[in-house]
């Protein structure tokens, strides 16, 4: 049956971020829907941000498009142009290589939920506000190329 | 600014279906978000079904995965296993080649809105309930291969 039983899909707060940058996403709880549903053309995540949680560190990808739609609660989209409130039904798109670091932050007192579509990050990813860079094939490094 | 101004993106009820099968989708109003937003890795449509409208004729694709999340109102997902109510936040996935024809129908008295993710249909598409077949490179045909 094509409707997804979300409760049956494992929810995780795992992150590959180094410990010093992981605190913002500790209460980001996500489900990888595409493998659970047998989809291969693109990735889909169901993401719940508890109050205070961030969707990621603010970043942009060189090689992967991203799309999000908010389905529950409220979030603040922070990017180079400032702060924008997102409410259920609001959509945001992050074309690859646009150089505009973005993040969703839950500043409310209730959880918010969004669906994120993209591909697994394979290209370089740039972090706008912290000394971290995701280098293709080498994982997370400091901006001078050194390891954590 | 990555938040999409949905009102500024043209909404259309265009369909390539032959007239005899187009009535069900006449009140399906959609916006192609990916080109408007500069996304190329996948397609994203914002779809509003007015009361009575169908998302498509019931179908399945040989070569394209599809994913939907309902963001407003209610819809009934009809597939080979029967009827399933979808409410805001509910997700459904349609892996390519699964042979399970699916359609969303708005049986309520209010519009419903969902986000659909996929790729442009390039492979054969099978229609479960009507004498129509989308043949790769040849467009819509009857199931015996003849034209409309």
């Amino acid at each position: 049956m094509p409707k997804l039983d979300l409760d049956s899909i494992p929810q995780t707060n795992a992150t590959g971020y180094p410990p010093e940058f992981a605190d913002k996403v500790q209460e980001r709880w996500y489900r990888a829907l595409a493998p659970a549903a047998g989809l291969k053309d693109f990735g889909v995540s169901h993401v719940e941000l508890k109050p205070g949680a961030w969707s990621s560190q603010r970043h942009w990808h060189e090689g992967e498009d991203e799309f999000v739609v908010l389905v529950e609660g409220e979030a603040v989209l922070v990017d180079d142009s400032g702060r924008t409130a997102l409410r259920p039904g609001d959509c945001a798109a992050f074309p690859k290589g646009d150089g505009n670091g973005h993040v969703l932050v839950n500043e409310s007192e209730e959880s918010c939920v969004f669906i994120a579509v993209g591909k697994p990050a394979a290209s370089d990813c740039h972090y706008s506000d912290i000394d971290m860079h995701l280098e293709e094939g080498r994982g997370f490094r400091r901006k001078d190329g050194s390891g954590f």
Side-chain angles (χ1 to χ4, degrees), chain A:
Chain A
M1 207 265 292
K3 179 183 169 185
L4 301 183
D5 178 4
L6 295 173
D7 290 338
S8 75
I9 300 172
Q11 194 179 38
T12 176
N13 70 341
T15 176
Y17 287 171
E20 69 193 87
F21 297 130
D23 58 327
K24 301 298 189 189
V25 297
Q26 282 306 108
E27 293 300 327
R28 171 193 67 178
W29 290 87
Y30 61 97
R31 295 176 167 97
L33 300 188
L39 304 182
K40 296 177 179 171
D41 288 350
F42 44 81
V44 186
S45 291
H46 176 280
V47 186
E48 177 181 2
L49 298 181
K50 305 278 190 185
W54 294 25
S55 61
S56 64
Q57 293 281 354
R58 194 160 80 87
H59 72 283
W60 61 273
H61 295 281
E62 287 192 10
E64 293 86 27
D65 289 336
E66 295 179 281
F67 174 86
V68 299
V69 54
L70 201 78
V71 296
E72 185 182 322
E74 297 185 9
V76 178
L77 166 62
V78 180
D79 75 337
D80 286 352
S81 66
R83 295 163 47 86
T84 307
L86 296 183
R87 297 191 173 82
D90 285 344
C91 299
F94 312 106
K96 57 183 125 184
D98 73 350
N100 182 5
H102 54 269
V103 58
L104 270 58
V105 178
N106 183 357
E107 298 183 357
S108 80
E109 296 184 0
E110 306 289 339
S111 286
C112 71
V113 174
F114 64 90
I115 297 292
V117 182
K119 297 192 301 180
S123 70
D124 278 30
C125 182
H126 299 257
Y127 291 85
S128 309
D129 305 321
I130 58 175
D131 183 18
M132 185 168 81
H133 182 76
L134 179 62
E135 190 174 326
E136 186 173 338
R138 292 186 74 206
F140 291 112
R141 320 292 295 184
R142 294 196 184 276
K143 286 180 175 171
D144 66 4
S146 62
F148 283 96

